[in-house]
Amino acid sequence: MIDLSKLSALELHYAASKLLSDYVETIDEDRLEQWPDLFVTDCVYQVIARENADRGLPTSAIYCDSRGMLVDRIVALRHANIYAKHYYRHVLSNVNVKGVEGDELVVQSNYVVLQTLVEGDTHVFNAGKYLDRMVATPDGLRFKRKVVVFDTYRIPNLLVTPL
Amino acid sequence: MIDLSKLSALELHYAASKLLSDYVETIDEDRLEQWPDLFVTDCVYQVIARENADRGLPTSAIYCDSRGMLVDRIVALRHANIYAKHYYRHVLSNVNVKGVEGDELVVQSNYVVLQTLVEGDTHVFNAGKYLDRMVATPDGLRFKRKVVVFDTYRIPNLLVTPL
Amino acid sequence: MIDLSKLSALELHYAASKLLSDYVETIDEDRLEQWPDLFVTDCVYQVIARENADRGLPTSAIYCDSRGMLVDRIVALRHANIYAKHYYRHVLSNVNVKGVEGDELVVQSNYVVLQTLVEGDTHVFNAGKYLDRMVATPDGLRFKRKVVVFDTYRIPNLLVTPL
């Protein structure tokens, strides 16, 4: 298991980037059943508008506080939700390691999600930042807490697929 | 010449990112004559819609299986094709090294190409992923195979400039 | 203080990426008062259209040749300028270290700035490249010269917030 306290700044940056790349791929490649596996069991996944986050208001578009809830979301998406078929494509940058706090790696990054609908055009769907807390596990780094703060507060479609 | 088997995961990631940056610059800076130089002689460059790639259908928007064909494309672009003057700007992320297979470095990444036309606005032109196989040469890493899988299946202009 | 001549290519790349991430965060998080601190006192910050840059024409959208002028811009933005409230979100990629010249690290990268206005949609505001010269200081790397060459030559709003 990785010992975060023994890694250099550069190695921490690489480890964080790698987890983020794996995260994005599970979504963009529609391997959503693997998406919850990138979180530890006792985790938080929150999607919140920048307006609310900046004012300290707790109202979130999505709030899940266990991996089980993440699994439920994917089951619902596959079997219950009705929505327009679409592709997501994440572009992520400015992965900025803020430090190690206890056993957690604190990382911030910017993202933009491009969406392609059936009619074929690709457009900016959502942009914002990730505020992540990652922990080492025997399987590699995993998310302990992921907060998605989005700038786009008019979301044109139901937010089904995770950001 | 680089020995891929002796590089750490971090060094492989850096080497792949560097080739990708050089690749993008030859296109975005309109140094297209240098673009084929980033491929080995016996190479494949394929541009394919995600729909076809996902179903295993071979129909591609572009398929070149030698560096000579890449050179031909640029000659045609400079001298024969008629198209609206435009700029490309690539943003690339999630460079994810999948491993070394034989002498090939297998790398996946996400891209978005922004286009600016003469009237001055910049818009999302095309987004998708790169599936790359890179090999070490005396001049550094080069593409052995580059498959561009694009999400955007309505391409508003003739696909002249490489993605 | 970092000795640039002693860093490996990989370490230079990381150091440059880190400064760029800090730069982007001061803007995207609206900590603009900290933005000039990422430049040395005797610096250049230029924003220029690609058309002019390519032809060697000096006319710039913004030209500041000291940190004091950068501070003035932020003071004006906070107290004098009238403009539509908006968020910026930078996505940056292809950070490509070109070498060390004297005490300056020469770095090029691609950027896209996404803007979100009050009505809530996010759109591509501006795309282009950064041509940076960074120098080591006791506080870490800082910009000696930053030239923003933008593709988008129809800028829909007054260019208030730095790119």
Side-chain angles (χ1 to χ4, degrees):
Chain A
M1 207 166 96
I2 315 168
D3 182 347
L4 294 176
S5 67
K6 293 207 172 127
L7 299 188
S8 67
L10 208 163
E11 289 166 329
L12 289 172
H13 179 264
Y14 173 70
S17 301
K18 178 73 180 163
L19 176 59
L20 286 164
S21 290
D22 290 340
Y23 176 90
V24 161
E25 277 188 15
T26 62
I27 301 173
D28 292 357
E29 314 238 295
D30 197 23
R31 293 188 272 108
L32 292 172
E33 283 71 14
Q34 295 167 29
W35 173 71
D37 296 341
L38 299 176
F39 291 79
V40 295
T41 317
D42 176 24
C43 65
V44 168
Y45 173 69
Q46 182 180 17
V47 178
I48 185 168
R50 180 167 176 165
E51 246 194 332
N52 288 353
D54 284 354
R55 295 179 191 174
L57 301 174
T59 310
S60 304
I62 300 176
Y63 189 89
C64 298
D65 61 2
S66 72
R67 188 164 62 194
M69 287 180 72
L70 301 182
V71 173
D72 287 349
R73 282 194 68 84
I74 302 305
V75 171
L77 179 155
R78 293 293 195 210
H79 300 290
N81 299 340
I82 307 293
Y83 56 95
K85 188 171 179 289
H86 62 265
Y87 298 140
Y88 268 8
R89 184 66 56 190
H90 286 68
V91 184
L92 207 75
S93 86
N94 306 96
V95 177
N96 206 352
V97 172
K98 299 298 186 172
V100 177
E101 295 182 7
D103 62 345
E104 298 180 358
L105 182 61
V106 184
V107 184
Q108 178 171 338
S109 53
N110 279 358
Y111 73 86
V112 51
V113 176
L114 301 155
Q115 191 183 51
T116 305
L117 291 165
V118 181
E119 99 286 344
D121 283 329
T122 300
H123 62 277
V124 174
F125 174 65
N126 193 287
K129 67 179 169 184
Y130 289 153
L131 301 177
D132 295 323
R133 288 180 168 263
M134 306 170 176
V135 291
T137 77
D139 301 318
L141 277 189
R142 292 294 179 264
F143 293 104
K144 172 73 183 170
R145 183 181 193 92
K146 183 170 194 76
V147 180
V148 181
V149 181
F150 58 97
D151 299 338
T152 318
Y153 46 103
R154 182 199 289 177
I155 295 186
N157 298 84
L158 183 63
L159 197 61
V160 180
T161 311
L163 288 176
Chain B
M1 209 166 96
I2 315 169
D3 182 347
L4 293 177
S5 67
K6 295 209 172 125
L7 298 187
S8 67
L10 208 163
E11 289 165 329
L12 289 171
H13 180 264
Y14 173 69
S17 301
K18 177 73 180 162
L19 177 58
L20 287 164
S21 290
D22 289 340
Y23 175 90
V24 160
E25 276 188 16
T26 62
I27 300 173
D28 291 357
E29 312 238 297
D30 197 22
R31 294 187 272 108
L32 292 172
E33 283 71 15
Q34 296 167 27
W35 174 70
D37 296 341
L38 299 176
F39 292 79
V40 295
T41 316
D42 176 25
C43 66
V44 167
Y45 173 69
Q46 182 181 17
V47 178
I48 185 168
R50 180 168 178 164
E51 247 194 334
N52 288 352
D54 283 354
R55 294 178 192 176
L57 300 174
T59 310
S60 302
I62 301 177
Y63 188 88
C64 298
D65 61 3
S66 72
R67 189 164 62 193
M69 287 180 72
L70 301 181
V71 173
D72 286 349
R73 282 195 68 85
I74 302 305
V75 171
L77 179 155
R78 292 293 195 210
H79 299 290
N81 299 339
I82 307 293
Y83 56 93
K85 186 169 181 290
H86 61 266
Y87 299 139
Y88 268 10
R89 184 66 56 191
H90 286 69
V91 184
L92 208 75
S93 85
N94 305 97
V95 177
N96 205 351
V97 172
K98 300 297 184 172
V100 177
E101 294 181 8
D103 63 344
E104 298 179 358
L105 183 61
V106 184
V107 185
Q108 177 171 337
S109 54
N110 279 357
Y111 73 86
V112 50
V113 176
L114 302 155
Q115 191 183 50
T116 305
L117 291 165
V118 180
E119 99 286 344
D121 282 330
T122 300
H123 61 277
V124 174
F125 174 66
N126 193 287
K129 66 180 168 184
Y130 289 152
L131 302 177
D132 295 322
R133 287 179 170 264
M134 307 171 176
V135 290
T137 78
D139 301 319
L141 277 189
R142 292 293 179 263
F143 294 104
K144 172 73 182 169
R145 183 181 193 92
K146 184 170 194 76
V147 181
V148 181
V149 182
F150 58 96
D151 300 338
T152 318
Y153 46 103
R154 181 197 290 176
I155 295 187
N157 299 84
L158 183 62
L159 197 62
V160 181
T161 311
L163 287 175
Chain C
M1 206 164 98
I2 314 168
D3 182 348
L4 294 177
S5 66
K6 294 209 172 127
L7 298 187
S8 67
L10 208 163
E11 289 166 330
L12 289 171
H13 180 265
Y14 174 69
S17 301
K18 177 73 180 163
L19 177 57
L20 287 164
S21 290
D22 289 340
Y23 176 90
V24 160
E25 277 188 17
T26 61
I27 300 173
D28 292 357
E29 313 238 294
D30 197 23
R31 292 187 273 108
L32 293 171
E33 283 70 16
Q34 295 167 30
W35 173 70
D37 296 340
L38 299 176
F39 292 79
V40 294
T41 316
D42 176 24
C43 66
V44 168
Y45 174 69
Q46 183 181 15
V47 179
I48 185 168
R50 181 168 176 164
E51 248 194 333
N52 288 353
D54 284 354
R55 295 179 190 175
L57 300 174
T59 309
S60 304
I62 300 177
Y63 189 89
C64 298
D65 62 3
S66 72
R67 187 163 63 194
M69 287 180 72
L70 301 181
V71 173
D72 286 349
R73 281 195 68 85
I74 301 306
V75 172
L77 180 155
R78 293 292 195 211
H79 300 290
N81 299 338
I82 307 294
Y83 56 93
K85 187 170 180 291
H86 61 265
Y87 298 139
Y88 268 9
R89 184 67 56 191
H90 286 69
V91 184
L92 207 75
S93 86
N94 305 97
V95 177
N96 206 351
V97 171
K98 299 297 185 173
V100 177
E101 294 182 8
D103 62 345
E104 297 180 358
L105 183 61
V106 184
V107 185
Q108 178 172 336
S109 54
N110 279 357
Y111 74 86
V112 51
V113 176
L114 301 156
Q115 191 183 50
T116 304
L117 291 165
V118 179
E119 100 284 346
D121 284 328
T122 299
H123 62 276
V124 174
F125 174 66
N126 193 287
K129 66 180 168 183
Y130 289 152
L131 301 177
D132 295 322
R133 289 180 168 263
M134 306 170 176
V135 291
T137 77
D139 301 319
L141 277 189
R142 291 293 179 264
F143 294 105
K144 173 72 182 169
R145 184 181 193 91
K146 184 170 195 77
V147 181
V148 182
V149 181
F150 59 96
D151 299 338
T152 317
Y153 45 105
R154 181 198 288 177
I155 296 186
N157 298 84
L158 183 62
L159 197 61
V160 181
T161 312
L163 287 175

